[in-house]
Amino acid sequence: MEDVFMKIIRREIPADIVYEDADTVAFLDIRPNTPGHTLVVPKKPVQNIFDADDETLAATMRTVRKIAPAVRDAVGAHGVHINSNHGAAAGQIVFHLHFHIIPRHDKSEFAFWPQNEYPPGEAATIAEKIRQALG
Ligand code: AMP
């Protein structure tokens, strides 16, 4: 699939860009969850957390931290969700790393995902598998 965010970065298609620096761009999501919903993307075309290098992630998160309070204040919100989908199984549609900043006025605007419980012993088993995967 074409990388629509690269087209925004190159100004080949329009977007409501609110911030740009040497490494990142922030613009309004075209289909906002709430007004002010903003996306922060690196200029470097990495797909997601699985191929992003540390420098690209750090630059992107610096911009997320800069933008988040401005987005909150601009729409008179009281908090934000910072969300990011990595992989189709997680709902990623645009395969160019991005973080959603979504203004929240109160908890009635969203429903948390269900929280489950581990059967006895399963948490320890999974934690060990993650430690092993880390090497
Ligand atoms: P996801 O990959 O699931 O995190 O979602 C990609 C997000 O990009 C969605 O929220 C879309 O509304 C948004 N999006 C897709 N195309 C554009 C565009 N041209 N301008 C702004 N936002 C976009």
Side-chain angles (χ1 to χ4, degrees), residues 1 4 11 26-27 42 51 60 63 70 73 78 93 103 105-107 113 127 131 133:
M1 190 188 288
V4 68
R11 306 301 203 275
F27 51 89
D51 68 336
T60 307
T63 298
D73 295 348
H78 304 295
I93 296 167
H105 298 78
D106 66 66
K107 289 183 185 172
W113 48 45
R131 286 189 288 268

Side-chain angles (χ1 to χ4, degrees), residues 5 8 27-31 39 85 91-94 98 100:
F5 293 167
I8 290 174
F27 51 89
L28 296 187
D29 193 302
I30 202 167
R31 298 187 64 209
L39 301 175
N85 304 322
Q92 185 173 12
I93 296 167
V94 177
H98 57 281
H100 298 253

Side-chain angles (χ1 to χ4, degrees), residues 65-120:
R65 187 169 65 174
K66 181 187 284 279
I67 296 296
V71 169
R72 177 197 61 189
D73 295 348
V75 298
H78 304 295
V80 296
H81 267 123
I82 295 172
N83 176 60
S84 194
N85 304 322
H86 303 265
Q92 185 173 12
I93 296 167
V94 177
F95 281 80
H96 183 121
L97 178 71
H98 57 281
F99 289 86
H100 298 253
I101 301 174
I102 304 172
R104 294 298 181 211
H105 298 78
D106 66 66
K107 289 183 185 172
S108 66
E109 288 174 344
F110 67 93
F112 271 123
W113 48 45
Q115 291 183 292
N116 301 302
E117 289 183 14
Y118 285 112

Side-chain angles (χ1 to χ4, degrees), residues 32-86:
N33 181 247
T34 62
H37 181 164
T38 299
L39 301 175
V40 176
V41 309
K43 290 183 176 176
K44 186 172 175 180
V46 296
Q47 290 200 333
N48 54 37
I49 195 78
F50 301 118
D51 68 336
D53 54 277
D54 288 355
E55 293 72 25
T56 299
L57 268 176
T60 307
M61 288 310 296
R62 267 195 300 275
T63 298
V64 168
R65 187 169 65 174
K66 181 187 284 279
I67 296 296
V71 169
R72 177 197 61 189
D73 295 348
V75 298
H78 304 295
V80 296
H81 267 123
I82 295 172
N83 176 60
S84 194
N85 304 322
H86 303 265

